[in-house]
């Protein structure tokens, strides 16, 4: 008995292609090209918006003058002017660099700071360039009012995500999430202030500067928890318009 | 076939193949990066480096899925063999697309930092004990290393240098790369974004590949189990009946050790050769006698029926076996002859020639 009718035999280096093979291959080419186009449409469109964070050049080359605080991270306390209330502005450098080394000599002193903001909702961080963007205020005799003392908002348990304030503020979009975790860790290790993005607001804020329970930098152990949903406990402290979440443990009782 | 090693020996089939492949890649990337942001405000809000990461990353997964489907497809339906013919170019392009994805990731997430890029890649995330947050990038790195090794060793020089069995074994690690990429995507983008389309591509592609491989594997297993019967005279085996062999084609038997033997019928003679092509272990018995040469269906490697040698200046050789006719029954001695042994085809007696087998289509 003969085998069932066989199909044409394709040899790649021959010019002639069997009719049945040619027909299938033409169909496959159409399917392949259409499939690539369709897959691209589906995979590109199926995404969530990373939110409205963005760069904002509000200073237009001018400088802010305020009192430099360096704990838990560099923060410039800018006194109230006219109708604008006092502000506590988180500071970071270019790239994934913080400004601790430049801010530490100015701790407690009047400082003159320039740069570009990243802003997202109530998160505001000033990104400082090189040279004159961060220096002691001139003249040093400038009379700045003492910053308001910190106000305790009590103990809280918050659900949310740890990210770095720069990417989370809009330097990267998205600047949160698991895919961004390694980047967030690099930023935080580089000195960029970490923030906690809460799922529910406290006093109208969903972004909080993170610190250890004693007010120092964020505990290194929390680097393992960045980018993913997490529940943290601690106290919240207000400095002007900035809320600081002083983490002392996880929801399961483990200490941070 | 080639006697010297050139980067690529172009022919019309390869040019069409690569042209379609490059067109598909260009269409995918252009739609993703140029049309997608126009259609989707959400994608427009995503920064450009991240858009590029997603475009090249998802394309690499799609291409690897297609590459891995080609093998079983060609086993299930031989009309898909043209896809197999130039598959290595598909694989090399997949590696390049995956490397482009990695390039954008390194240049965005792991740059501008006090920590050097590659150091940062391996040290910035050490959450090895949690699923959500696991350093999924490492699976991508592992897969990319495999794909790069396979791309670099894809040329026939390496096939000859490493020998076909070792080369084939190394290239089977593409499945390890695929598994690693699935983990990379699942623990990264899928957990992060709950992306339905990406989930369908990953899990749907995985399911499709499993089904295709199981179907092709079942076909092979059935052939293996259908071991040839022993002939009355030891150690000869019965491969089949003469009437089962179409002109220019072969039937395939299996020796007691499992080695497959192909018996070709051409111009009134029978020749038995190994079913395994010396190039990439292609199934020669599914080939055809073209211009007097046994021709492998995968890449067209050719061998003389009488001695299993490629015509000069080529040097490839396959083993020959003794074959006889007992009545119309085709029997083969499963002991292979030394490589290069000349053995004229066994003439088919005139009384067994009619009725003439159905003429096959020409190549």
């Amino acid at each position: 008995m003969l085998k069932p009718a066989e199909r044409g035999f394709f040899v790649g280096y021959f010019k002639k292609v069997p009719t049945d093979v040619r027909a299938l291959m033409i169909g496959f080419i159409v399917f392949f090209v259409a499939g690539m186009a369709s897959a691209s449409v589906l995979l590109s469109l199926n995404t969530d918006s990373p939110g409205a964070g963005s760069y904002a050049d509000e200073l237009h080359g001018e400088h802010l003058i305020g009192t430099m605080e360096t704990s838990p991270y560099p923060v410039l306390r800018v006194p109230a002017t006219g109708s604008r209330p006092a502000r506590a502005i988180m500071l970071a450098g270019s790239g994934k660099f913080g400004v601790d080394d430049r801010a530490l000599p100015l701790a407690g002193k009047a400082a003159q700071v320039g740069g570009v903001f990243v802003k997202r909702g109530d998160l505001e961080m000033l990104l400082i360039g090189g040279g004159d963007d961060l220096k002691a205020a001139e003249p040093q005799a400038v009379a700045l009012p003492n910053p308001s003392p910190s106000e305790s908002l009590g103990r809280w348990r918050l659900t949310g995500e740890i990210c770095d304030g720069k990417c989370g503020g809009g330097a990267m979009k998205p600047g949160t999430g698991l895919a961004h975790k390694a980047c967030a860790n690099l930023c935080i290790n580089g000195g960029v202030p970490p923030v906690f993005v809460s799922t529910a607001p406290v006093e109208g804020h969903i972004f909080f500067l993170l610190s250890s329970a004693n007010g120092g930098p964020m505990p290194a152990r929390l680097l393992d928890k960045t980018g993913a949903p997490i529940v943290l406990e601690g106290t919240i402290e207000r400095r002007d318009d900035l809320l600081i979440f002083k983490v002392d443990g996880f929801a399961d009782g483990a200490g941070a | 076939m080639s006697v010297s090693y050139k980067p690529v020996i172009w022919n019309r089939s390869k040019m069409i193949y690569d042209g379609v492949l490059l067109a598909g890649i260009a269409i995918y990337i252009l739609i993703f990066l140029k049309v997608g942001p126009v259609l989707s405000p959400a994608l427009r809000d995503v920064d450009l480096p991240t858009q590029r990461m997603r475009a090249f990353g998802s394309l690499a997964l799609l291409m690897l899925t297609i590459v891995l489907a080609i093998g079983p497809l060609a086993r299930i339906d031989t009309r898909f063999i043209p896809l197999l013919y130039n598959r290595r170019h598909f694989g090399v392009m997949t590696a390049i697309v995956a490397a482009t994805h990695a390039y954008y990731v390194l240049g965005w997430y792991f740059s501008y930092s006090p920590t050097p890029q590659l150091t940062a890649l391996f040290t910035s995330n050490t959450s090895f004990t949690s699923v959500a947050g696991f350093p999924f990038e490492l699976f991508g790195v592992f897969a990319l290393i495999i794909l790069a090794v396979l791309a670099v060793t894809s040329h026939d020089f390496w096939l000859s240098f490493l020998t076909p069995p070792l080369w084939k074994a190394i290239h089977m690690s593409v499945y390890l790369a695929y598994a690693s990429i699935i983990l990379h995507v699942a623990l990264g983008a899928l957990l992060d974004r709950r992306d339905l389309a990406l989930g369908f591509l990953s899990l749907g592609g995985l399911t499709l590949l499993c089904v295709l491989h199981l179907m092709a594997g079942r076909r092979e297993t059935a052939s293996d189990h259908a071991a040839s019967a022993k002939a009355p005279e030891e150690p000869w085996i019965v491969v089949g009946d003469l009437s089962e062999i179409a002109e220019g084609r072969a039937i395939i038997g299996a020796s007691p050790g499992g080695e497959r033997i192909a018996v070709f019928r051409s111009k009134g003679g029978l020749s038995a050769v190994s079913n395994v092509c010396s190039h990439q272990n292609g199934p020669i018995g599914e080939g055809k006698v073209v211009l007097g040469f046994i021709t492998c269906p995968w890449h067209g490697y050719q061998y003389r029926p009488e001695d299993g040698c490629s015509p000069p200046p080529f040097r490839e050789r396959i083993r020959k076996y003794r074959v006889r006719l007992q009545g119309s029954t085709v029997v083969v001695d499963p002991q292979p002859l030394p490589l290069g042994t000349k053995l004229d085809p066994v003439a088919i007696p005139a009384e067994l020639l009619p009725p003439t087998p159905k003429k096959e289509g020409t190549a």
Side-chain angles (χ1 to χ4, degrees):
Chain A
M1 185 180 74
L2 281 174
K3 293 165 80 177
E6 290 182 299
R7 290 166 172 147
F9 187 67
F10 170 83
V11 180
Y13 48 80
F14 284 178
K15 284 185 179 174
K16 191 174 177 185
V17 178
T19 310
D20 56 345
V21 174
R22 177 191 296 273
L24 185 72
M25 283 302 107
I26 289 173
F28 181 84
I29 289 170
V30 172
F31 173 79
F32 175 72
V33 172
M36 293 292 265
S38 307
S40 184
V41 169
L42 286 174
L43 286 159
S44 64
L45 299 189
N46 201 12
T47 186
D48 293 326
S49 172
S54 64
Y55 286 95
D57 184 14
E58 292 183 356
L59 300 179
H60 305 295
E62 298 296 317
H63 292 86
L64 290 171
I65 294 178
T67 304
M68 181 65 73
E69 292 180 347
T70 55
S71 185
Y73 294 90
V75 170
L76 188 72
R77 303 289 296 272
V78 180
T81 52
S83 61
R84 182 150 203 180
R87 303 156 74 189
I89 301 172
M90 293 183 284
L91 305 176
S94 59
K96 297 178 172 75
F97 289 82
V99 289
D100 299 67
D101 52 342
R102 296 161 68 190
L104 276 173
L106 301 174
K109 299 176 182 172
Q112 177 177 304
V113 179
V116 176
F117 282 98
V118 282
K119 289 190 165 195
R120 181 175 183 176
D122 57 289
L123 171 63
E124 182 176 83
M125 185 173 283
L126 183 58
L127 310 180
I128 298 167
D132 286 347
D133 271 354
L134 174 56
K135 61 182 183 180
E138 295 292 348
Q140 188 59 47
V142 64
L144 288 175
N146 286 331
S148 306
S150 299
E151 174 192 357
S152 175
L153 299 183
R155 186 166 183 79
W156 292 81
R157 171 185 286 183
L158 297 181
T159 301
E161 176 186 331
I162 300 170
C163 64
D164 68 280
K166 180 174 181 178
C167 294
M172 281 191 182
K173 294 204 264 185
T176 56
L178 288 173
H180 181 264
K181 179 183 176 74
C183 176
N185 286 0
L186 282 174
C187 284
I188 295 169
N189 276 331
V192 175
V195 298
F196 190 77
V197 190
S198 173
T199 54
V202 175
E203 302 263 323
H205 289 250
I206 63 166
F207 288 98
F208 307 84
L209 175 61
L210 272 173
S211 83
S212 62
N214 62 8
M218 182 188 89
R221 187 182 167 194
L222 289 181
L223 284 174
D224 273 345
K225 306 296 179 184
T226 53
I230 187 174
V231 183
L232 295 176
E233 292 183 346
T235 56
I236 292 180
E237 172 185 307
R238 183 204 298 275
R239 290 186 202 171
D240 297 334
D241 60 345
L242 178 67
L243 299 193
I244 301 174
F245 188 19
K246 301 167 81 169
V247 179
D248 56 29
F250 300 99
D252 60 7
Chain B
M1 296 175 72
S2 85
V3 70
S4 62
Y5 296 111
K6 297 177 181 174
V8 181
I9 301 168
W10 290 105
N11 58 42
R12 186 167 170 270
S13 295
K14 287 185 181 178
M15 284 192 272
I16 293 173
Y17 195 109
D18 285 10
V20 172
L21 179 59
L22 289 172
I25 292 171
I27 285 169
Y28 186 96
I29 294 298
L30 286 175
I31 287 179
F32 202 114
L33 296 179
K34 299 295 180 188
V35 180
V38 174
L39 298 176
S40 164
L43 182 60
R44 199 158 53 238
D45 289 342
V46 173
D47 52 44
L48 185 59
T50 308
Q51 287 181 24
R52 288 172 173 162
M53 284 177 223
R54 291 182 184 175
F56 283 93
S58 57
L59 177 59
L61 173 61
L62 179 60
M63 289 177 69
L64 189 58
T65 306
I66 296 172
V67 166
L68 291 179
I70 289 173
L73 271 178
R75 302 298 297 149
I76 293 165
D77 187 332
T78 55
R79 289 177 300 165
F80 283 106
I81 278 190
L83 300 181
L84 190 76
Y85 175 62
N86 207 26
R87 181 173 54 173
R88 67 180 75 185
H89 285 200
F90 208 135
V92 170
M93 284 310 300
T94 303
I96 291 171
V97 168
T100 308
H101 165 74
Y103 170 79
Y104 285 123
V105 172
L106 273 180
W108 191 233
Y109 286 153
F110 295 96
S111 290
Y112 318 113
S113 158
T115 313
Q117 276 186 349
L118 287 178
T119 307
L121 178 62
F122 292 103
T123 60
S124 57
N125 180 6
T126 53
S127 306
F128 292 103
T129 54
S130 55
V131 174
F134 189 90
F136 66 95
E137 295 91 347
L138 300 183
F139 286 116
V141 172
F142 181 62
L144 184 59
I145 290 171
I146 293 177
L147 291 180
V149 169
L150 300 192
V152 168
T153 61
S154 64
H155 195 272
D156 271 353
F157 165 77
W158 288 101
L159 176 65
S160 173
F161 181 74
L162 297 170
T163 72
L166 178 57
W167 186 89
K168 193 93 179 174
I170 291 172
H171 280 244
M172 289 301 279
S173 66
V174 69
Y175 290 99
L176 205 53
Y178 179 69
S180 194
I181 285 178
I182 290 292
L183 285 171
H184 173 67
V185 173
L187 293 174
L190 276 186
L191 262 185
D192 187 35
R193 295 193 279 129
R194 308 280 197 275
D195 185 331
L196 277 178
L198 193 60
F200 180 77
L201 173 60
S202 312
L203 302 180
L206 178 63
T207 307
L208 175 71
L209 287 180
C210 287
V211 169
L212 286 174
H213 280 77
L214 283 173
M215 286 170 66
R218 196 171 172 180
R219 185 177 176 277
E220 298 298 309
T221 309
S223 301
D224 285 341
H225 287 169
S228 301
K230 289 182 179 176
E233 185 184 350
E234 289 281 348
W236 292 69
I237 56 171
V238 177
V239 174
D241 193 86
L242 182 64
S243 63
E244 295 175 55
I245 319 177
E247 175 62 20
R249 296 285 188 166
I251 51 173
I252 302 167
S255 71
E259 188 72 24
R260 293 187 195 175
I261 301 165
V263 179
F264 278 90
R265 172 179 184 162
S266 176
K267 295 180 181 173
L270 293 176
S271 305
V273 296
S274 165
N275 190 50
V276 180
C277 179
S278 69
H279 175 225
Q280 282 193 18
N281 296 352
I284 287 184
E286 295 172 28
K288 187 177 181 181
V289 178
V290 178
L291 301 176
F293 297 105
I294 294 170
T295 305
C296 179
W298 279 11
H299 300 94
Y301 273 62
Q302 293 190 309
Y303 305 92
R304 288 190 297 245
E306 59 270 25
D307 60 5
C309 296
S310 296
F314 306 109
R315 295 186 294 269
E316 285 78 13
R317 295 188 296 179
I318 52 174
R319 291 192 186 281
K320 285 271 300 176
Y321 293 83
R322 290 189 182 85
V323 60
R324 281 187 205 156
L325 272 171
Q326 293 178 343
S328 66
T329 303
V330 180
V331 295
V332 166
D333 178 356
Q335 294 298 322
L337 299 169
L339 282 168
T341 303
K342 188 170 181 184
L343 197 64
D344 285 331
V346 171
I348 301 170
E351 63 272 21
L352 292 177
L353 284 175
T356 306
K358 201 177 281 184
K359 182 74 178 172
E360 293 306 308
T362 55

